[in-house]
Amino acid sequence: MPLFELIRDAKHLVVFTGAGVSAESGIATFRDALTGLWERYDPAQLATAEAFRRDPALVWGWYESRRLQVLKAQPNPAHRAIAALARQVPELTLITQNVDDLHERAGSPEVIHLHGSLHHPRCFACNRPIALEPTSVAVNGPQEPPRCQGCNGRARPGVVWFGEALPERAIRTAMDAAKRCDCLLSIGTSGVVMPAALIPQVALEAGANVIHINMQPVECRADNEHSLIGAAGKLLPALCQQAFPA
Ligand code: BJW
Ligand code: ZN
């Protein structure tokens, strides 16, 4: 069956996205090598509570530079195709590992953020939300985090670091959708970070068709698993156009 028919005929479509979906908006993927001032750091080493405890200004500065990069970026055709799909299938659940807000800005009404958001920092000590200037001074390097008005603790980015639990409701809703869906699109993710990487697996085991869209081939181990190789911003609008011709 042509893949567009799986999308056209889906009653409940899950769209599961990773950093590759925002790459064409100019946002570096998590596992891309860092550039400029940050090139000597390993993202996996910065994305931990231990790193923040050791050097809060370094970690906060890195996240601020990324937040400002996202504020300047625009959603791309892949984000927009996903938002349009929600109006064309009976039920769509959008699950992202991304910490940007490009799905929301493309018009997706509900987004499950498994790994939190760059835009909602909170106190490292007491978890109170901390408001940020929408566009603070251009940051390019270490920067002292602002302080909590309640307890004077340091602000930390509202993301999920390695070793931290995912938001309980988000992962529960995501797993439930993966079990119930009849088709899952997995777009632009390396599929190495747990427990998010289990989501396509759960859908496959429940009998759904899984379509991977990635610049790299994804190994398919079952008849209901399919890999499309190429840029999400090109392949996804084309697939949606075939499924739902204008
Ligand atoms: C394109 C493209 C284009 C490019 N078009 N495609 C079981 C086994 C082994 C390890 C573990 C395990 N369980 C837990 C762990 C440990 C750990 C883990 O998974 N480690 C692995 C790396 C080995 N997991 C955790 O620690 C998790 N926590 C946890 O399990 O806690 C347990 C606990 C329970 C109760 C109490 C306490 C604790 C938390 C994981 C949080 C991950 N957070 C990060 C950082 C967020 C903040 C930040 O951004 O800095 O989330 S890690 C990072 O990876 C980020 C991403 O969301 C995530 C996934 O990355 P993604 O999106 O796949 O990006 P890339 O860069 O890897 O890939 C991009 C892809 O796009 C590539 O494939 C390209 O080819 C493709 N591409 N351009 C289409 N145009
Ligand atoms: Zn506090």
Side-chain angles (χ1 to χ4, degrees), residues 97-120:
Q97 298 168 84
N98 296 345
V99 293
D100 63 49
D101 60 353
L102 295 178
H103 283 305
E104 285 88 345
R105 286 201 265 141
S108 284
E110 271 180 56
V111 187
I112 298 174
H113 279 273
L114 293 178
H115 294 160
S117 159
L118 290 171
H119 306 283
H120 301 290

Side-chain angles (χ1 to χ4, degrees), residues 1 32 45 53 57 71 96 98 105 136-137 143 167 205 207-208:
M1 185 188 263
D32 276 346
Q45 299 298 319
R53 270 192 209 96
L71 288 175
T96 190
N98 296 345
R105 286 201 265 141
S136 63
V137 284
Q143 193 195 29
E205 282 165 14

Side-chain angles (χ1 to χ4, degrees), residues 3-32:
L3 295 185
F4 77 86
E5 291 185 8
L6 301 177
I7 296 175
R8 185 194 63 195
D9 299 343
K11 301 276 178 292
H12 179 192
L13 182 66
V14 167
V15 180
F16 172 61
T17 64
V21 85
S22 295
E24 290 158 81
S25 295
I27 312 289
T29 68
F30 191 78
R31 284 166 182 81
D32 276 346

Side-chain angles (χ1 to χ4, degrees), residues 17-21 23-24 29-32 43 47 62-63 66 97-99 115 118 159-166 187-195 213-216 230-233:
T17 64
V21 85
E24 290 158 81
T29 68
F30 191 78
R31 284 166 182 81
D32 276 346
W62 181 54
Y63 278 98
R66 291 174 56 198
Q97 298 168 84
N98 296 345
V99 293
H115 294 160
L118 290 171
V159 301
V160 181
W161 281 326
F162 287 111
E164 295 185 327
L166 274 60
I187 308 171
T189 176
S190 55
V192 294
V193 174
M194 293 289 184
I213 297 182
N214 199 300
M215 297 296 279
Q216 306 293 330

Side-chain angles (χ1 to χ4, degrees), residues 153-238:
R154 289 187 171 92
R156 61 158 284 173
V159 301
V160 181
W161 281 326
F162 287 111
E164 295 185 327
L166 274 60
E168 200 188 315
R169 184 153 167 257
I171 187 68
R172 197 174 355 101
T173 312
M175 288 297 181
D176 173 64
K179 278 180 207 146
R180 288 190 300 111
C181 71
D182 43 12
C183 185
L184 183 145
L185 280 168
S186 174
I187 308 171
T189 176
S190 55
V192 294
V193 174
M194 293 289 184
L198 295 173
I199 288 170
Q201 201 54 42
V202 166
L204 276 175
E205 282 165 14
N209 282 288
V210 170
I211 305 170
H212 301 277
I213 297 182
N214 199 300
M215 297 296 279
Q216 306 293 330
V218 176
E219 192 189 341
C220 295
R221 297 192 191 87
D223 290 347
N224 52 338
E225 190 171 22
H226 317 271
S227 166
L228 288 175
I229 305 165
K234 292 235 155 43
L235 291 186
L236 189 61

